[in-house]
Amino acid sequence: MRLFNPASAPLPGEADAIHFVDVNQDECRSCAHCEGVCPTGAITRIKPNTPWCVHYIPDPVYCIACGQCLKECPGLAINETVSFLEEIQQKIADPEIVTVAMTAPSIRYTLGEAFGDDVSRYEAGKMFAALRRLGFDKVWDVEFGADVTIMEESAELLARIRGELDRPLPLLTSCCPAWIRYVETYHPSLIPNLSTARSPVQMLGALAKTYGAAEIGVNAEKLYTVQIMPCIAKKFEQLRIENAKSGLRDIDATIDTRELIQWLKDKEINFDDLPDEQADDPFRITTGAATIFGATGGVMEAVLRRVVEVLDNKPLENVEFQTVRGTEGVREAEITAGELTFKVAIVSGAVNADPICTAIEMRESTYVAVEVMACPGGCLNGGGQPIESEYI
Amino acid sequence: MSNQFREKLTITRREFIKILGIFFAWIVIGVKSVAHVARQLAGKFLERIQAAYARDSAMSLRKSQDNPQVQSLYTDFLGEPLGELSENLLHTSYIDRSRAIPAIRPMTMRTMPESLAIISVYPNPFNATTEIAFCIAGSEMVWLAVFNTAGQQVCSLVEKTIPAGTHRVRWDGRDKYGKRVASGLYIARLIAGSQMASQRMTLTK
């Protein structure tokens, strides 16, 4: 069962007017479960206050494209409307173009679910091998981009704490594109609080078309970057006009985990029999801080591993911050580093974000940093992740 | 029954079906198989999160600053975090998209207020625009208007029947003719059904 149409790639700048998810009204069983998981009320009944009637998304400006409705719909009535799959296949067939696959931290834990025994485990080696079998010339790891994001974001947090940067606290993380759109649409007064650091894959895309292209000796214009994400909102992020910092589009195409699994199944690649391979230089080596990016609290923990070390001015001994881990909707933790003691908060799911946003707007919050991921549980439970193995 | 207590007891239709389903399945096919099915129903993300943390503790490099390729990226190319090149390549800006949203919108469908109230006016004091948040308990004809201290109506923001819940309305500091009003104290007055609420707000230029 496909939840997307492979030939429907829009152009940059069209993003605001597109429904990234839409309801197939013939399939909708009016159960109203999507209303409960939608963080913004974008999905609603076609006739207000009528218990049994189909749902729809009246206007794309309300929707932050997190895709939770699609993931939670028991009838598979909600599908994606944007897919770059056909365009990517054309580019791979073109011998002039160097196609680069960029793999998100979260997809390596869920790819294996669709093949074999339906258990989540770490499958990075097979994932890199599978992408080479599909015809990608290079595989670069977004976990590397995540490490760079941590360097930038923690430098920014330290500058804000020390008052060197004229921007307010708390720092709001900026890795989740659906969360960014949520702030821009529903809490625009918090835009100065957002970290200016781009998301890991956008950083990697900009680096790929400058530093990376030079390292492998390829003209950056011949590079075609494909991000493979557990996320629907990344398609929106890719199409944002300003995401062309390298002079070219930093990311040229996006597919999510479901589309990759469908592609592997169509090509009849036997995932379980693949050997373990590695990503390509110069974006190959990654750290533990990057691999937990997909879990709620993971970005915060990775930032703390850097910030606490700098504030303590000595190597960090215990890198595990157990207090930021968990799966509750809103969590807070107190961190002591050097002479400072500060509080951080983690929000899992944009449905839980409104109270904390309002508190920051009212100047009632005492947090130094707040991490928000729009999907409950983080990217590992993202809108683009496999739903059930038989439905992908 | 207080609102808070009611919220704790409320479950969605789907949760109710899940609970009943697990209960009857337990009666029919026994504990062990049900545990497997229940784990699937609860969603896979717990298992995925555990896999990620397990991988993290198995890695030799666990801090981003220890990544040798990141270090050489900064020494060979970028310079330092927040440096000029990274500022250009790795940092971005954001757009205020709230204008695309019609002036009035429901904030959330889940929280049902108990009575009429203006929850907040933010920012206040304000320059140029402010947002008035209010909630109504039932679907009602609502009139939200701005008055000056002399009691004259400056403009009317909402005059229609809207559903129950919390709503936000933006006021751009203009009167009913579209002219910018002077600095000073203004009063937002909300009338819904037989109830009334008001809130003071200050415009500073």
Side-chain angles (χ1 to χ4, degrees), chain A residues 16 113 120 147 152 184 195-196 281 284-285 288 305 309 361 380, chain B residues 47-48 56 61-64 67 69 74 89 91-92 94 97 122:
Chain A
D16 290 342
E113 284 173 20
S120 319
D147 279 333
E152 295 292 331
E184 287 179 330
S195 163
T196 59
D281 282 322
R284 176 175 58 87
I285 301 175
R305 286 180 190 179
E309 188 169 285
E361 282 176 344
L380 287 164
Chain B
E47 196 181 301
R48 293 171 180 169
D56 166 43
L61 296 174
R62 299 186 67 183
K63 292 175 279 184
S64 301
N67 186 334
Q69 284 186 330
Y74 276 103
L89 275 180
H91 289 261
T92 188
Y94 304 104
R97 289 175 201 277
Y122 183 81

PDB file of all heavy atoms in Angstrom, chain A residues 16 113 120 147 152 184 195-196 281 284-285 288 305 309 361 380, chain B residues 47-48 56 61-64 67 69 74 89 91-92 94 97 122:
ATOM      1  N   ASP A  16       4.697  27.106   0.542  1.00  0.00           N
ATOM      2  CA  ASP A  16       3.658  27.637   1.418  1.00  0.00           C
ATOM      3  C   ASP A  16       2.252  27.217   1.004  1.00  0.00           C
ATOM      4  O   ASP A  16       1.350  27.155   1.821  1.00  0.00           O
ATOM      5  CB  ASP A  16       3.736  29.165   1.459  1.00  0.00           C
ATOM      6  CG  ASP A  16       4.971  29.621   2.202  1.00  0.00           C
ATOM      7  OD1 ASP A  16       5.525  28.786   2.941  1.00  0.00           O
ATOM      8  OD2 ASP A  16       5.369  30.778   2.042  1.00  0.00           O
ATOM      9  N   GLU A 113      12.980  -2.695  10.401  1.00  0.00           N
ATOM     10  CA  GLU A 113      11.643  -3.136  10.803  1.00  0.00           C
ATOM     11  C   GLU A 113      10.828  -3.653   9.626  1.00  0.00           C
ATOM     12  O   GLU A 113      10.031  -4.570   9.761  1.00  0.00           O
ATOM     13  CB  GLU A 113      10.876  -1.954  11.427  1.00  0.00           C
ATOM     14  CG  GLU A 113      11.308  -1.635  12.832  1.00  0.00           C
ATOM     15  CD  GLU A 113      10.633  -0.366  13.327  1.00  0.00           C
ATOM     16  OE1 GLU A 113       9.604   0.029  12.773  1.00  0.00           O
ATOM     17  OE2 GLU A 113      11.158   0.211  14.286  1.00  0.00           O
ATOM     18  N   SER A 120      13.300  -3.160  15.999  1.00  0.00           N
ATOM     19  CA  SER A 120      14.126  -1.983  15.759  1.00  0.00           C
ATOM     20  C   SER A 120      15.545  -2.249  16.234  1.00  0.00           C
ATOM     21  O   SER A 120      15.763  -2.551  17.394  1.00  0.00           O
ATOM     22  CB  SER A 120      13.569  -0.796  16.529  1.00  0.00           C
ATOM     23  OG  SER A 120      12.183  -0.777  16.450  1.00  0.00           O
ATOM     24  N   ASP A 147      26.857  16.508  14.311  1.00  0.00           N
ATOM     25  CA  ASP A 147      28.009  16.914  15.124  1.00  0.00           C
ATOM     26  C   ASP A 147      28.362  18.383  14.888  1.00  0.00           C
ATOM     27  O   ASP A 147      28.666  19.113  15.834  1.00  0.00           O
ATOM     28  CB  ASP A 147      29.214  16.026  14.798  1.00  0.00           C
ATOM     29  CG  ASP A 147      29.169  14.684  15.522  1.00  0.00           C
ATOM     30  OD1 ASP A 147      28.553  14.635  16.602  1.00  0.00           O
ATOM     31  OD2 ASP A 147      29.737  13.711  15.009  1.00  0.00           O
ATOM     32  N   GLU A 152      27.940  24.349  16.528  1.00  0.00           N
ATOM     33  CA  GLU A 152      27.394  25.688  16.298  1.00  0.00           C
ATOM     34  C   GLU A 152      26.373  26.062  17.373  1.00  0.00           C
ATOM     35  O   GLU A 152      26.398  27.150  17.922  1.00  0.00           O
ATOM     36  CB  GLU A 152      26.735  25.764  14.915  1.00  0.00           C
ATOM     37  CG  GLU A 152      27.688  25.587  13.760  1.00  0.00           C
ATOM     38  CD  GLU A 152      28.681  26.740  13.612  1.00  0.00           C
ATOM     39  OE1 GLU A 152      28.333  27.871  14.003  1.00  0.00           O
ATOM     40  OE2 GLU A 152      29.797  26.504  13.121  1.00  0.00           O
ATOM     41  N   GLU A 184       6.950  29.920  13.727  1.00  0.00           N
ATOM     42  CA  GLU A 184       6.753  30.998  12.758  1.00  0.00           C
ATOM     43  C   GLU A 184       5.279  31.322  12.574  1.00  0.00           C
ATOM     44  O   GLU A 184       4.915  32.470  12.345  1.00  0.00           O
ATOM     45  CB  GLU A 184       7.353  30.601  11.412  1.00  0.00           C
ATOM     46  CG  GLU A 184       8.865  30.611  11.398  1.00  0.00           C
ATOM     47  CD  GLU A 184       9.424  30.187  10.056  1.00  0.00           C
ATOM     48  OE1 GLU A 184       8.784  29.394   9.358  1.00  0.00           O
ATOM     49  OE2 GLU A 184      10.511  30.641   9.708  1.00  0.00           O
ATOM     50  N   SER A 195      17.288  29.122  17.848  1.00  0.00           N
ATOM     51  CA  SER A 195      18.693  29.080  17.471  1.00  0.00           C
ATOM     52  C   SER A 195      18.803  29.345  15.972  1.00  0.00           C
ATOM     53  O   SER A 195      18.004  28.853  15.186  1.00  0.00           O
ATOM     54  CB  SER A 195      19.250  27.704  17.801  1.00  0.00           C
ATOM     55  OG  SER A 195      20.445  27.506  17.104  1.00  0.00           O
ATOM     56  N   THR A 196      19.791  30.140  15.588  1.00  0.00           N
ATOM     57  CA  THR A 196      19.939  30.407  14.155  1.00  0.00           C
ATOM     58  C   THR A 196      20.628  29.250  13.445  1.00  0.00           C
ATOM     59  O   THR A 196      20.705  29.243  12.219  1.00  0.00           O
ATOM     60  CB  THR A 196      20.751  31.693  13.910  1.00  0.00           C
ATOM     61  OG1 THR A 196      22.027  31.528  14.508  1.00  0.00           O
ATOM     62  CG2 THR A 196      20.057  32.907  14.478  1.00  0.00           C
ATOM     63  N   ASP A 281      34.096   9.334   2.917  1.00  0.00           N
ATOM     64  CA  ASP A 281      34.811  10.523   3.402  1.00  0.00           C
ATOM     65  C   ASP A 281      34.415  11.720   2.542  1.00  0.00           C
ATOM     66  O   ASP A 281      34.068  11.539   1.384  1.00  0.00           O
ATOM     67  CB  ASP A 281      36.326  10.286   3.306  1.00  0.00           C
ATOM     68  CG  ASP A 281      36.804   9.395   4.449  1.00  0.00           C
ATOM     69  OD1 ASP A 281      36.275   9.569   5.558  1.00  0.00           O
ATOM     70  OD2 ASP A 281      37.661   8.545   4.212  1.00  0.00           O
ATOM     71  N   ARG A 284      32.230  10.939   7.212  1.00  0.00           N
ATOM     72  CA  ARG A 284      32.022   9.545   7.556  1.00  0.00           C
ATOM     73  C   ARG A 284      31.967   9.313   9.065  1.00  0.00           C
ATOM     74  O   ARG A 284      31.047   8.666   9.554  1.00  0.00           O
ATOM     75  CB  ARG A 284      33.165   8.717   6.954  1.00  0.00           C
ATOM     76  CG  ARG A 284      33.127   7.244   7.301  1.00  0.00           C
ATOM     77  CD  ARG A 284      34.218   6.491   6.577  1.00  0.00           C
ATOM     78  NE  ARG A 284      35.546   7.015   6.868  1.00  0.00           N
ATOM     79  CZ  ARG A 284      36.297   6.627   7.904  1.00  0.00           C
ATOM     80  NH1 ARG A 284      35.872   5.729   8.731  1.00  0.00           N
ATOM     81  NH2 ARG A 284      37.489   7.150   8.102  1.00  0.00           N
ATOM     82  N   ILE A 285      32.948   9.868   9.774  1.00  0.00           N
ATOM     83  CA  ILE A 285      33.058   9.564  11.207  1.00  0.00           C
ATOM     84  C   ILE A 285      31.964  10.318  11.974  1.00  0.00           C
ATOM     85  O   ILE A 285      31.704  11.494  11.723  1.00  0.00           O
ATOM     86  CB  ILE A 285      34.446   9.960  11.735  1.00  0.00           C
ATOM     87  CG1 ILE A 285      35.513   9.194  10.950  1.00  0.00           C
ATOM     88  CG2 ILE A 285      34.561   9.691  13.225  1.00  0.00           C
ATOM     89  CD1 ILE A 285      36.921   9.589  11.285  1.00  0.00           C
ATOM     90  N   GLY A 288      28.557   9.397  19.292  1.00  0.00           N
ATOM     91  CA  GLY A 288      27.348   9.001  20.011  1.00  0.00           C
ATOM     92  C   GLY A 288      26.388  10.163  20.200  1.00  0.00           C
ATOM     93  O   GLY A 288      25.173   9.985  20.216  1.00  0.00           O
ATOM     94  N   ARG A 305      26.625  17.797  26.456  1.00  0.00           N
ATOM     95  CA  ARG A 305      27.949  17.169  26.455  1.00  0.00           C
ATOM     96  C   ARG A 305      29.022  18.158  26.025  1.00  0.00           C
ATOM     97  O   ARG A 305      30.178  18.036  26.407  1.00  0.00           O
ATOM     98  CB  ARG A 305      27.954  15.959  25.513  1.00  0.00           C
ATOM     99  CG  ARG A 305      27.214  14.768  26.072  1.00  0.00           C
ATOM    100  CD  ARG A 305      27.241  13.591  25.119  1.00  0.00           C
ATOM    101  NE  ARG A 305      26.324  12.551  25.592  1.00  0.00           N
ATOM    102  CZ  ARG A 305      26.122  11.404  24.954  1.00  0.00           C
ATOM    103  NH1 ARG A 305      26.752  11.133  23.837  1.00  0.00           N
ATOM    104  NH2 ARG A 305      25.278  10.510  25.447  1.00  0.00           N
ATOM    105  N   GLU A 309      31.100  20.628  29.265  1.00  0.00           N
ATOM    106  CA  GLU A 309      32.556  20.472  29.209  1.00  0.00           C
ATOM    107  C   GLU A 309      33.253  21.825  29.118  1.00  0.00           C
ATOM    108  O   GLU A 309      34.259  22.058  29.783  1.00  0.00           O
ATOM    109  CB  GLU A 309      32.938  19.580  28.015  1.00  0.00           C
ATOM    110  CG  GLU A 309      34.408  19.214  28.011  1.00  0.00           C
ATOM    111  CD  GLU A 309      34.730  18.121  27.005  1.00  0.00           C
ATOM    112  OE1 GLU A 309      34.408  16.961  27.275  1.00  0.00           O
ATOM    113  OE2 GLU A 309      35.294  18.442  25.950  1.00  0.00           O
ATOM    114  N   GLU A 361       6.582  33.551  26.306  1.00  0.00           N
ATOM    115  CA  GLU A 361       6.072  34.845  25.844  1.00  0.00           C
ATOM    116  C   GLU A 361       5.727  35.756  27.016  1.00  0.00           C
ATOM    117  O   GLU A 361       5.922  36.957  26.950  1.00  0.00           O
ATOM    118  CB  GLU A 361       4.820  34.643  24.978  1.00  0.00           C
ATOM    119  CG  GLU A 361       5.141  34.186  23.578  1.00  0.00           C
ATOM    120  CD  GLU A 361       3.901  33.899  22.756  1.00  0.00           C
ATOM    121  OE1 GLU A 361       2.812  33.755  23.335  1.00  0.00           O
ATOM    122  OE2 GLU A 361       4.026  33.820  21.525  1.00  0.00           O
ATOM    123  N   LEU A 380      12.550   9.457  15.853  1.00  0.00           N
ATOM    124  CA  LEU A 380      12.421   7.999  15.753  1.00  0.00           C
ATOM    125  C   LEU A 380      10.964   7.600  15.578  1.00  0.00           C
ATOM    126  O   LEU A 380      10.669   6.525  15.075  1.00  0.00           O
ATOM    127  CB  LEU A 380      13.010   7.334  17.000  1.00  0.00           C
ATOM    128  CG  LEU A 380      14.532   7.376  17.066  1.00  0.00           C
ATOM    129  CD1 LEU A 380      15.017   7.074  18.460  1.00  0.00           C
ATOM    130  CD2 LEU A 380      15.147   6.394  16.087  1.00  0.00           C
TER     131      LEU A 380
ATOM    132  N   GLU B  47      11.040   1.137  21.772  1.00  0.00           N
ATOM    133  CA  GLU B  47      12.051   0.195  21.330  1.00  0.00           C
ATOM    134  C   GLU B  47      13.126   0.902  20.501  1.00  0.00           C
ATOM    135  O   GLU B  47      14.320   0.656  20.652  1.00  0.00           O
ATOM    136  CB  GLU B  47      11.341  -0.866  20.484  1.00  0.00           C
ATOM    137  CG  GLU B  47      12.095  -2.127  20.217  1.00  0.00           C
ATOM    138  CD  GLU B  47      11.251  -3.049  19.341  1.00  0.00           C
ATOM    139  OE1 GLU B  47      10.135  -3.395  19.770  1.00  0.00           O
ATOM    140  OE2 GLU B  47      11.703  -3.393  18.246  1.00  0.00           O
ATOM    141  N   ARG B  48      12.676   1.837  19.652  1.00  0.00           N
ATOM    142  CA  ARG B  48      13.625   2.570  18.810  1.00  0.00           C
ATOM    143  C   ARG B  48      14.533   3.458  19.652  1.00  0.00           C
ATOM    144  O   ARG B  48      15.739   3.541  19.411  1.00  0.00           O
ATOM    145  CB  ARG B  48      12.856   3.434  17.807  1.00  0.00           C
ATOM    146  CG  ARG B  48      12.093   2.639  16.768  1.00  0.00           C
ATOM    147  CD  ARG B  48      11.190   3.542  15.964  1.00  0.00           C
ATOM    148  NE  ARG B  48      10.421   2.834  14.952  1.00  0.00           N
ATOM    149  CZ  ARG B  48       9.424   3.368  14.271  1.00  0.00           C
ATOM    150  NH1 ARG B  48       9.063   4.624  14.493  1.00  0.00           N
ATOM    151  NH2 ARG B  48       8.769   2.676  13.366  1.00  0.00           N
ATOM    152  N   ASP B  56      24.568   4.497  21.277  1.00  0.00           N
ATOM    153  CA  ASP B  56      25.383   5.593  21.810  1.00  0.00           C
ATOM    154  C   ASP B  56      26.395   5.061  22.825  1.00  0.00           C
ATOM    155  O   ASP B  56      27.584   5.369  22.746  1.00  0.00           O
ATOM    156  CB  ASP B  56      24.468   6.647  22.443  1.00  0.00           C
ATOM    157  CG  ASP B  56      25.215   7.645  23.313  1.00  0.00           C
ATOM    158  OD1 ASP B  56      26.289   8.099  22.877  1.00  0.00           O
ATOM    159  OD2 ASP B  56      24.723   7.983  24.399  1.00  0.00           O
ATOM    160  N   LEU B  61      33.547   7.253  20.354  1.00  0.00           N
ATOM    161  CA  LEU B  61      33.454   8.716  20.391  1.00  0.00           C
ATOM    162  C   LEU B  61      32.035   9.079  20.785  1.00  0.00           C
ATOM    163  O   LEU B  61      31.083   8.669  20.136  1.00  0.00           O
ATOM    164  CB  LEU B  61      33.747   9.299  19.011  1.00  0.00           C
ATOM    165  CG  LEU B  61      35.143   9.080  18.442  1.00  0.00           C
ATOM    166  CD1 LEU B  61      35.199   9.583  17.016  1.00  0.00           C
ATOM    167  CD2 LEU B  61      36.168   9.803  19.284  1.00  0.00           C
ATOM    168  N   ARG B  62      31.894   9.863  21.850  1.00  0.00           N
ATOM    169  CA  ARG B  62      30.535  10.157  22.306  1.00  0.00           C
ATOM    170  C   ARG B  62      30.252  11.641  22.394  1.00  0.00           C
ATOM    171  O   ARG B  62      29.146  12.040  22.735  1.00  0.00           O
ATOM    172  CB  ARG B  62      30.282   9.478  23.651  1.00  0.00           C
ATOM    173  CG  ARG B  62      30.421   7.963  23.517  1.00  0.00           C
ATOM    174  CD  ARG B  62      30.052   7.256  24.761  1.00  0.00           C
ATOM    175  NE  ARG B  62      28.635   7.382  25.057  1.00  0.00           N
ATOM    176  CZ  ARG B  62      28.084   6.893  26.142  1.00  0.00           C
ATOM    177  NH1 ARG B  62      28.811   6.258  27.025  1.00  0.00           N
ATOM    178  NH2 ARG B  62      26.798   7.044  26.359  1.00  0.00           N
ATOM    179  N   LYS B  63      31.227  12.465  22.123  1.00  0.00           N
ATOM    180  CA  LYS B  63      30.997  13.917  22.153  1.00  0.00           C
ATOM    181  C   LYS B  63      31.335  14.491  20.789  1.00  0.00           C
ATOM    182  O   LYS B  63      32.343  14.125  20.186  1.00  0.00           O
ATOM    183  CB  LYS B  63      31.881  14.563  23.229  1.00  0.00           C
ATOM    184  CG  LYS B  63      31.469  14.180  24.636  1.00  0.00           C
ATOM    185  CD  LYS B  63      32.415  14.728  25.676  1.00  0.00           C
ATOM    186  CE  LYS B  63      33.644  13.882  25.801  1.00  0.00           C
ATOM    187  NZ  LYS B  63      34.568  14.298  26.851  1.00  0.00           N
ATOM    188  N   SER B  64      30.493  15.405  20.308  1.00  0.00           N
ATOM    189  CA  SER B  64      30.682  15.958  18.960  1.00  0.00           C
ATOM    190  C   SER B  64      32.053  16.586  18.790  1.00  0.00           C
ATOM    191  O   SER B  64      32.666  16.497  17.734  1.00  0.00           O
ATOM    192  CB  SER B  64      29.606  17.000  18.686  1.00  0.00           C
ATOM    193  OG  SER B  64      28.346  16.418  18.800  1.00  0.00           O
ATOM    194  N   ASN B  67      34.986  14.408  17.446  1.00  0.00           N
ATOM    195  CA  ASN B  67      34.968  13.839  16.101  1.00  0.00           C
ATOM    196  C   ASN B  67      36.141  14.397  15.282  1.00  0.00           C
ATOM    197  O   ASN B  67      36.210  15.598  15.030  1.00  0.00           O
ATOM    198  CB  ASN B  67      33.629  14.212  15.442  1.00  0.00           C
ATOM    199  CG  ASN B  67      33.436  13.562  14.098  1.00  0.00           C
ATOM    200  OD1 ASN B  67      34.395  13.237  13.413  1.00  0.00           O
ATOM    201  ND2 ASN B  67      32.190  13.384  13.719  1.00  0.00           N
ATOM    202  N   GLN B  69      36.940  14.260  12.149  1.00  0.00           N
ATOM    203  CA  GLN B  69      36.599  14.904  10.868  1.00  0.00           C
ATOM    204  C   GLN B  69      35.941  16.263  11.092  1.00  0.00           C
ATOM    205  O   GLN B  69      36.097  17.164  10.277  1.00  0.00           O
ATOM    206  CB  GLN B  69      35.708  13.986  10.034  1.00  0.00           C
ATOM    207  CG  GLN B  69      36.511  12.848   9.407  1.00  0.00           C
ATOM    208  CD  GLN B  69      35.708  11.995   8.452  1.00  0.00           C
ATOM    209  OE1 GLN B  69      34.501  11.839   8.615  1.00  0.00           O
ATOM    210  NE2 GLN B  69      36.366  11.408   7.473  1.00  0.00           N
ATOM    211  N   TYR B  74      36.815  22.177  10.860  1.00  0.00           N
ATOM    212  CA  TYR B  74      36.973  23.515  11.426  1.00  0.00           C
ATOM    213  C   TYR B  74      38.375  24.067  11.191  1.00  0.00           C
ATOM    214  O   TYR B  74      38.544  25.253  10.905  1.00  0.00           O
ATOM    215  CB  TYR B  74      36.607  23.526  12.916  1.00  0.00           C
ATOM    216  CG  TYR B  74      35.117  23.683  13.124  1.00  0.00           C
ATOM    217  CD1 TYR B  74      34.314  22.593  13.466  1.00  0.00           C
ATOM    218  CD2 TYR B  74      34.491  24.911  12.953  1.00  0.00           C
ATOM    219  CE1 TYR B  74      32.945  22.725  13.612  1.00  0.00           C
ATOM    220  CE2 TYR B  74      33.121  25.057  13.108  1.00  0.00           C
ATOM    221  CZ  TYR B  74      32.355  23.958  13.442  1.00  0.00           C
ATOM    222  OH  TYR B  74      31.001  24.096  13.582  1.00  0.00           O
ATOM    223  N   LEU B  89      27.230  29.953   6.087  1.00  0.00           N
ATOM    224  CA  LEU B  89      26.821  28.655   5.554  1.00  0.00           C
ATOM    225  C   LEU B  89      25.852  27.928   6.471  1.00  0.00           C
ATOM    226  O   LEU B  89      24.959  27.234   6.014  1.00  0.00           O
ATOM    227  CB  LEU B  89      28.052  27.758   5.358  1.00  0.00           C
ATOM    228  CG  LEU B  89      28.848  27.884   4.072  1.00  0.00           C
ATOM    229  CD1 LEU B  89      29.999  26.915   4.094  1.00  0.00           C
ATOM    230  CD2 LEU B  89      27.980  27.617   2.852  1.00  0.00           C
ATOM    231  N   HIS B  91      24.123  29.101   9.361  1.00  0.00           N
ATOM    232  CA  HIS B  91      23.084  29.768  10.146  1.00  0.00           C
ATOM    233  C   HIS B  91      22.047  30.376   9.210  1.00  0.00           C
ATOM    234  O   HIS B  91      22.325  30.652   8.056  1.00  0.00           O
ATOM    235  CB  HIS B  91      23.697  30.821  11.066  1.00  0.00           C
ATOM    236  CG  HIS B  91      24.460  30.207  12.200  1.00  0.00           C
ATOM    237  ND1 HIS B  91      23.940  30.064  13.453  1.00  0.00           N
ATOM    238  CD2 HIS B  91      25.677  29.640  12.237  1.00  0.00           C
ATOM    239  CE1 HIS B  91      24.827  29.449  14.231  1.00  0.00           C
ATOM    240  NE2 HIS B  91      25.893  29.180  13.518  1.00  0.00           N
ATOM    241  N   THR B  92      20.870  30.562   9.748  1.00  0.00           N
ATOM    242  CA  THR B  92      19.771  30.994   8.888  1.00  0.00           C
ATOM    243  C   THR B  92      18.896  31.994   9.625  1.00  0.00           C
ATOM    244  O   THR B  92      19.172  32.372  10.759  1.00  0.00           O
ATOM    245  CB  THR B  92      18.962  29.770   8.425  1.00  0.00           C
ATOM    246  OG1 THR B  92      18.029  30.181   7.444  1.00  0.00           O
ATOM    247  CG2 THR B  92      18.237  29.105   9.580  1.00  0.00           C
ATOM    248  N   TYR B  94      14.538  33.335  10.096  1.00  0.00           N
ATOM    249  CA  TYR B  94      13.187  32.792  10.056  1.00  0.00           C
ATOM    250  C   TYR B  94      12.186  33.874   9.647  1.00  0.00           C
ATOM    251  O   TYR B  94      12.468  35.058   9.752  1.00  0.00           O
ATOM    252  CB  TYR B  94      12.832  32.193  11.422  1.00  0.00           C
ATOM    253  CG  TYR B  94      13.830  31.158  11.858  1.00  0.00           C
ATOM    254  CD1 TYR B  94      14.785  31.446  12.831  1.00  0.00           C
ATOM    255  CD2 TYR B  94      13.838  29.907  11.265  1.00  0.00           C
ATOM    256  CE1 TYR B  94      15.722  30.493  13.198  1.00  0.00           C
ATOM    257  CE2 TYR B  94      14.770  28.954  11.637  1.00  0.00           C
ATOM    258  CZ  TYR B  94      15.707  29.255  12.601  1.00  0.00           C
ATOM    259  OH  TYR B  94      16.634  28.316  12.957  1.00  0.00           O
ATOM    260  N   ARG B  97       5.247  33.846   9.827  1.00  0.00           N
ATOM    261  CA  ARG B  97       4.193  33.346   8.947  1.00  0.00           C
ATOM    262  C   ARG B  97       2.798  33.558   9.530  1.00  0.00           C
ATOM    263  O   ARG B  97       1.821  33.087   8.973  1.00  0.00           O
ATOM    264  CB  ARG B  97       4.359  31.837   8.730  1.00  0.00           C
ATOM    265  CG  ARG B  97       5.527  31.482   7.887  1.00  0.00           C
ATOM    266  CD  ARG B  97       5.726  29.985   7.799  1.00  0.00           C
ATOM    267  NE  ARG B  97       7.088  29.722   7.422  1.00  0.00           N
ATOM    268  CZ  ARG B  97       7.519  29.736   6.164  1.00  0.00           C
ATOM    269  NH1 ARG B  97       6.692  29.935   5.192  1.00  0.00           N
ATOM    270  NH2 ARG B  97       8.784  29.525   5.891  1.00  0.00           N
ATOM    271  N   TYR B 122      -1.136  39.888  24.667  1.00  0.00           N
ATOM    272  CA  TYR B 122       0.309  39.824  24.571  1.00  0.00           C
ATOM    273  C   TYR B 122       0.774  40.289  23.212  1.00  0.00           C
ATOM    274  O   TYR B 122       0.215  39.847  22.215  1.00  0.00           O
ATOM    275  CB  TYR B 122       0.836  38.407  24.819  1.00  0.00           C
ATOM    276  CG  TYR B 122       2.328  38.376  24.799  1.00  0.00           C
ATOM    277  CD1 TYR B 122       3.051  38.752  25.928  1.00  0.00           C
ATOM    278  CD2 TYR B 122       3.013  38.082  23.626  1.00  0.00           C
ATOM    279  CE1 TYR B 122       4.420  38.799  25.902  1.00  0.00           C
ATOM    280  CE2 TYR B 122       4.385  38.133  23.590  1.00  0.00           C
ATOM    281  CZ  TYR B 122       5.095  38.497  24.728  1.00  0.00           C
ATOM    282  OH  TYR B 122       6.454  38.555  24.687  1.00  0.00           O
TER     283      TYR B 122
END
